[in-house]
Amino acid sequence: MSDAIELRPPLRDADVARLKVGDRVVISGTIYGARDAAHKKMVELLDAGQPLPADLHGGILYYVGPTPAPPGRAIGAAGPTTSGRMDAYAPRMYEYGVKATIGKGYRAPAVIESLVKHKAVYLIAVGGLGATLSGCIKAAKVIAYPELGTEALWEFKVEDFPAIVANDSRGRDAYKEGQEVWAKKLAAA
């Protein structure tokens, strides 16, 4: 994607501040994969004043539960999971210092407020492209909670992983704005 903004974690506030709803990004470097079970464990650690299994300050969390790797690949299908399942945990992760999350679907108002408060963004990846997206993952390993299987905490080395900014650090919401645009078009029809 030639017009995409390149992101290389760890992200700083300035990296996040320049992103706006609708921007296309490509990510290269280390990102982390986790679903709700791993998020629950991480939030419990934070609430107990304990360190996380990895330093996620400035990090990007991908909401994913990948399938096993076929021969010659780092990982199997790795499409985004529905982000709403992480809404109960996301504000705490942004407070900790996570700067971006990747998933699919809209976010709750409390999550959007947390993005503004903690200078973070929510990115969406296209659902149904798990096999294609896995091609951007060059290395994958479980770094915590192996008992959770695919819901473990993963470390991924990615190259040119594509996503779109759905919620920026100023409180804009692509889902809400899109609905408003189409409501106006329908009313005019």
Side-chain angles (χ1 to χ4, degrees):
M1 294 197 297
S2 60
D3 63 340
I5 297 168
E6 294 182 14
L7 296 178
R8 294 188 179 278
L11 304 179
R12 300 172 319 228
D13 287 349
D15 298 318
V16 171
R18 71 182 177 141
L19 299 174
K20 63 185 182 314
V21 164
D23 283 346
R24 295 187 315 156
V25 301
V26 289
I27 304 159
S28 295
T30 301
I31 67 173
Y32 298 90
R35 286 182 43 160
D36 35 330
H39 275 77
K40 182 178 188 292
K41 288 181 173 280
M42 289 189 289
V43 167
E44 287 170 352
L45 285 175
L46 291 174
D47 289 347
Q50 300 294 313
L52 294 181
D55 183 2
L56 302 180
H57 288 95
I60 299 175
L61 273 175
Y62 182 28
Y63 302 149
V64 64
T67 63
R73 298 288 297 257
I75 199 77
T81 196
T82 303
S83 300
R85 290 200 295 263
M86 273 55 71
D87 281 357
Y89 311 111
R92 187 69 171 99
M93 298 307 294
Y94 299 131
E95 178 185 357
Y96 163 83
V98 168
K99 287 295 177 189
T101 53
I102 308 168
K104 68 179 181 182
Y106 63 90
R107 302 311 298 265
V111 174
I112 296 169
E113 291 169 15
S114 186
L115 291 170
V116 174
K117 182 177 182 180
H118 301 292
K119 298 179 179 75
V121 294
Y122 169 57
L123 310 171
I124 51 174
V126 178
L129 291 182
T132 300
L133 292 172
S134 71
C136 299
I137 299 173
K138 305 306 179 185
K141 67 179 178 179
V142 172
I143 58 171
Y145 318 127
E147 71 278 8
L148 298 178
T150 62
E151 291 202 32
L153 178 60
W154 292 80
E155 179 183 88
F156 300 130
K157 302 294 183 189
V158 300
E159 287 180 17
D160 297 328
F161 188 96
I164 299 167
V165 178
N167 296 104
D168 62 28
S169 62
R170 290 173 288 288
R172 289 185 58 201
D173 182 347
Y175 289 98
K176 182 179 178 193
E177 291 177 17
Q179 290 172 351
E180 291 169 354
V181 167
W182 283 103
K184 288 178 186 173
K185 287 183 180 188
L186 289 172

